[in-house]
Every structure is written in structure tokens, then in C-alpha cells.
Amino acid sequence: MHLRHGTFAHLPELDDTEIAAQVRYALLNNWPVSIEYTDDPHPRNNYWEMWGIPLFDLDEPDGVLAEINACRATFPRHYIRVNAYDASYGRQTTALSFLVQRPPHEPGFRLERTESDDRRQHYGFHAYALDEQPGQRYGG
Amino acid sequence: MSAEHPAVPGGRQPAAGRPAGGFQMHRPGATSPASMRGTAVDVPPRPEDSAADHLHRPASGAPEMLADDALLDLSTDIAGKDVEDTLTRLDAELVGLANVKRRVREIAALLVIDRARQRFGLQATRPTMHMSFTGGPGTGKTTVALRMAEMLHALGYIRKPKVHVVTRDDLVGQFIGHTAPKTKEALAKAAGGVLFIDEAYYLFRPENERDYGQEVIEILLQEMENERTSLVVIFAGYPDRMETFFSANPGLSSRVAHHIEFPDYTHDELMAIAELMVRQENFRFDPAAAQAFSRYLELRMARPRFANARSVRNALERCRLRQAKRLVELHRPVGRTDLITLTDSDVLGSSVFADAPADSTSPADSNGSAGEGASP
């Protein structure tokens, strides 16, 4: 199951040139860029692990690409995304967030039903990947 | 991301000298997005200039190949005009430095010819542009670096006409594992432009073998070898120490293609610089003041810690101080002429004259010397 996550999720995979162009667009708008990774694909998982600190004061994407590649080398089977923050509202606002790497094989989710009071049903998702320990998911 | 992303980080980069993909936007500080512009007979402007269009995959903006028997008029290269403007300004704004200007012109010509060769499909390696500027203090190294960045940008060699100035403190860390991130951060900020390392010889301290400067040099070497980043590194410093620095790092010296020497200014050149600065600040010397300033320079050049153009600038600043004090103490309405004229008394107030051997100069005026202290 191909996880649709963030901007451009329904487009073909971006290659490095296109990623660089998107990052440049963010930097030209004065949005600092940060890199995050996770191996928990649940759509409600908002807070991913940060790769280093956000990259401030850049105006060319080379430095960001170098960090993305370092992150890919360290976590070859994780989801990795790039966030661009717009601080012009006086609070941190995500202006752009897109995946730059996904695991080679994504097993997807199973539907979980829970009985609640008055025989009401509650539904939830359980990612098959979560059956493994963190760090060993996606065949890592 | 597909699993087989290249083993070489960022292996799918655009070829050197090409913009790294996509749209181009107005960049503050840049006169125009000059990367990869062809000649006057060029493709019409592409529609990717709008920000909303940034998903659009651009067609390659490269001008079409020329036939083997075609003739190319070099003057039609529109980048040539920007370059000519930069060179003209270099000539106008910088006094003297004949050999520096000649070298800059040679580099510009090399890049123009390189672009022309590409039009004929003649593949050659990208000429390296890393430089070292050696010269005394105040000889215009940073100014030339700024002009150089503009020129290289106009010729499409680098992606932005920006100079990121760093010193040892910005590159070398305080403890183990601190240096590499700092250096990488500096490189990231300079990416696509010029990294100007001031007082570069401080990076290498042979007397201290636990110094982290060596690590910086190794990272720089890697980055300078890198074909795909359009980064130009300029090392600057005083001649004698730079000599030691390069002899201790032969790998570095061989990767720096252009060693440019900035000679100290002569007295006449310094006088011309002073006239230029005075004019730029909307002042003027009256004839007596010009003579006095010429005498001041003679005395000042003989004294220690003389920093060429920087000393001239400082001296003029103090002339303005004395002029302001003089005008306030007139206790009368002042006119435009009063405000723009520097008189000889404004110059002669300097402490340089106070401890000079008394000869043809008129004795220093009583106003001015106060508060001058040790400042030369």
C-alpha cells in the first residue's frame, strides 16, 4: 500500500533535482527547512524524529540535499520528509511538507474494530509494520 | 523515494553550470537570474517564472548546438554585457591594482570562451575557479571578491552573486566533533556562490597538532573537488603567512587555480583613493587641504600598522570629525559650501603631524588634536 503523505503524494516520486527545486522554492520564500524521519506510518503520527535541527539562513538547496542524503544513508528504510516552516505569522506554521524517501515495501494497515458501550463499534488502523520493534521495521 | 537512489549522494544532479532544475524566481540582490542564459538569439522567455508554476518540468533552456562551420560572434553573448559592466566598475572603483584587474579580465575571457565552446558541443572540464588573494591589509581583497562573484554569476559559473565571508572562528570547532558540522554549515550557506575565507592561514597551526583546522582543510578539499556544486572558494590573507599556509598544504595549493597578489598602494594611488572616497561621501578638499592630506599620507605611510585604503578611510573619518567640530564652533549659520569643504586645518589636526619633524608644514592648529590619543 503506497502511503499518501503530505504534498505531492499523488504525483510520481520526485527525483533529487525536483526535490532541490522544491527546497529552493521554500528558501526563496524565507521558509526554513527541516528534515524528519519515522518508521511509524500511522496517519495520526504527526511528530516524527528530527534529523538535526532546522536549517536556517540558507538560500541554495545544496546544504539541504546533503543533509537529506546523510539521513537516507543512516535510515535507508524509513519514511523521510522535508518540512518548510513559515514564521511570518508569528508562530511556526508548516507551509510545505513532502516525502523524500519511503520504505521499499509498505505492507499497509489492517482495520481494527473495538466493542464499546452499548455495542457501539470503534474503528482504528493498525499498521502491519508496527508488529516489529522500532528500528527493525520494513526489513531493517 | 525509490529504493535504488544513487550510491553517490545526490548523483542525479544537473550537469555543472546548469541551474539545479525548475523555475527561476526573482532573487533579492541579484539583478537578474543569470544562470544559464544563452546568447541574444535565444529561446523566448519560458513560462516557469511564476511561482505557482513550480511543478512544471522545464524544457532545457540551453541554446541549440551550432554547426561545425558556424561562426559565433562573442559580443552577442548577453552575459558579456554584465561582465563588461562589472569590469568597468572594477576599473572605476578600484585605483591601481593593474595586475589584479588584468587577471580578472583573463578569467572573464576564459569563461566567455568556455561558453562559446559549449555552443559548439566541445566538451571540456569545467575550469576551476578557486583563488587565493594575498596582499596587505586594506588592499581591496574583499572588494575584488564581491566583484568576482558578480562576474562569475553573470557568466553562469555560480548560481548566485553572493559572497559568504568566514574566518577561522566560523569553521573550526571548539571540541571534537564540533568542526565538521560548523564547516558544513558554512559551506551550505555559501552553496552556489563564493566562500571567502579571510585570514585563511589561521586555519593551519603547525605548532599545535591537536588543532582542528586540519579537519576543515580536509572537508574543504573534498568540497572543492566536487564538480556538481558551483562553489568557488577564495582564500585571503597576508602574503608571507599565506606562503607558509600553502607550502604546508600542497594539496590545497594545487587545487587553487588562481593565485592573485594585491600589491601595496603607492602614495599617488592612495591620494587618488582619498579623492575618490571624498567625492563618494559628497565632500571635497580645498587645494590647501589636498596638499596637507598628501603630506599626511607621507608621514602615515612611514608609521607602523599602515593599512592602505583602510587607513585612508579612517583618516578621512577623523577629518570629518574635526570639520564638524570646527563648523559647530563657528557659531554662525553654515552654507552648503561650508558643509562639503574639508579645509587644511581639518587635516592638520591629526596627531601624525604632532610628532612629525617640523619642516615645511604649517604648525598644527590648536583645534582638533584633543581626543586623538593613540589612534594614528
Side-chain angles (χ1 to χ4, degrees), chain B residues 55-373:
Chain B
L55 292 178
H56 179 74
R57 308 268 322 256
S60 168
E64 79 290 352
M65 281 297 164
L66 293 170
D68 284 353
D69 57 351
L71 288 175
L72 179 63
D73 182 1
L74 291 179
S75 61
T76 57
D77 192 333
I78 47 170
K81 189 176 174 310
D82 292 0
V83 174
E84 203 48 53
D85 288 351
T86 309
L87 291 173
T88 315
R89 279 175 45 206
L90 195 71
D91 280 340
E93 291 173 20
L94 287 178
V95 176
L97 298 178
N99 65 339
V100 175
K101 289 172 181 170
R102 193 174 60 242
R103 195 60 182 267
V104 173
R105 280 191 180 278
E106 283 168 3
I107 290 171
L110 171 72
L111 288 174
V112 168
I113 294 300
D114 207 58
R115 283 162 64 97
R117 285 171 54 96
Q118 280 171 8
R119 294 289 309 274
F120 283 98
L122 296 166
Q123 287 303 322
T125 52
R126 201 159 166 263
T128 59
M129 281 293 149
H130 305 300
M131 304 177 204
S132 95
F133 289 177
T134 54
T139 45
K141 298 189 289 287
T142 314
T143 314
V144 172
L146 293 169
R147 297 280 166 276
M148 190 67 95
E150 282 172 17
M151 196 185 76
L152 293 174
H153 175 251
L155 286 162
Y157 189 87
I158 53 179
R159 295 197 301 267
K160 64 179 189 198
K162 200 174 140 180
V163 179
H164 184 53
V165 180
V166 294
T167 57
R168 179 188 158 92
D169 288 352
D170 302 308
L171 299 173
V172 180
Q174 315 273 318
F175 45 84
I176 288 188
H178 189 204
T179 301
K182 275 186 92 162
T183 306
K184 291 209 164 90
E185 188 188 345
L187 286 167
K189 283 180 186 170
V194 171
L195 179 68
F196 185 82
I197 306 180
D198 210 0
E199 317 296 349
Y201 45 81
Y202 280 131
L203 287 179
F204 179 70
R205 292 198 171 152
E207 71 278 4
N208 180 358
E209 59 185 36
R210 287 209 309 276
D211 187 67
Y212 302 131
Q214 200 58 43
E215 199 182 333
V216 174
I217 293 171
E218 280 159 24
I219 296 173
L220 280 177
L221 283 183
Q222 275 177 20
E223 199 63 27
M224 285 160 71
E225 284 294 274
N226 199 334
E227 268 287 319
R228 72 189 165 75
T229 55
S230 56
L231 176 76
V232 169
V233 185
I234 298 181
F235 300 90
Y238 303 147
D240 45 346
R241 301 196 200 177
M242 287 301 276
E243 192 55 46
T244 329
F245 172 69
F246 279 124
S247 60
N249 298 286
L252 200 58
S253 181
S254 59
R255 284 178 179 84
V256 173
H258 305 280
H259 291 263
I260 303 181
E261 285 177 13
F262 288 67
D264 281 344
Y265 290 111
T266 63
H267 177 270
D268 292 347
E269 285 169 347
L270 288 170
M271 203 57 216
I273 289 171
E275 296 282 359
L276 198 68
M277 283 180 183
V278 167
R279 210 171 37 244
Q280 278 172 349
E281 303 281 346
N282 292 321
F283 282 91
R284 61 179 185 79
F285 281 135
D286 63 12
Q291 264 190 337
F293 198 82
S294 168
R295 173 89 186 109
Y296 167 87
L297 282 177
E298 276 173 37
L299 294 171
R300 182 65 190 87
M301 281 169 80
R303 290 176 54 152
R305 294 195 306 280
F306 178 65
N308 292 298
R310 206 169 302 146
S311 288
V312 173
R313 177 169 294 284
N314 293 343
L316 290 175
E317 290 290 326
R318 284 191 295 274
C319 289
R320 287 174 60 181
L321 273 178
R322 286 187 286 268
Q323 184 229 23
K325 186 162 174 288
R326 178 173 56 84
L327 290 179
V328 169
E329 286 171 356
L330 285 178
H331 297 302
R332 63 166 174 82
V334 292
R336 185 171 185 277
T337 323
D338 295 323
L339 291 173
I340 63 171
T341 309
L342 294 168
T343 66
D344 56 343
S345 62
D346 299 331
V347 178
L348 295 173
S350 167
S351 61
V352 170
F353 291 101
D355 36 23
D359 51 6
S360 59
T361 52
S362 53
D365 274 38
S366 56
N367 62 358
S369 288
E372 274 260 307

Side-chain angles (χ1 to χ4, degrees), chain B residues 27-40:
Chain B
R27 189 191 287 288
T31 46
S32 57
S35 55
M36 207 54 208
R37 289 184 315 183
T39 53

Side-chain angles (χ1 to χ4, degrees), chain A residues 13-14 59-60 62 100, chain B residues 1 12 27 159-160 162:
Chain A
E13 300 281 324
L14 301 182
D59 50 9
E60 281 289 330
D62 305 42
V100 295
Chain B
M1 209 76 256
R12 281 174 294 181
R27 189 191 287 288
R159 295 197 301 267
K160 64 179 189 198
K162 200 174 140 180

Side-chain angles (χ1 to χ4, degrees), chain B residues 34-56:
Chain B
S35 55
M36 207 54 208
R37 289 184 315 183
T39 53
V41 283
D42 207 356
V43 287
R46 307 199 308 268
E48 300 97 54
D49 290 350
S50 73
D53 215 3
H54 65 273
L55 292 178
H56 179 74

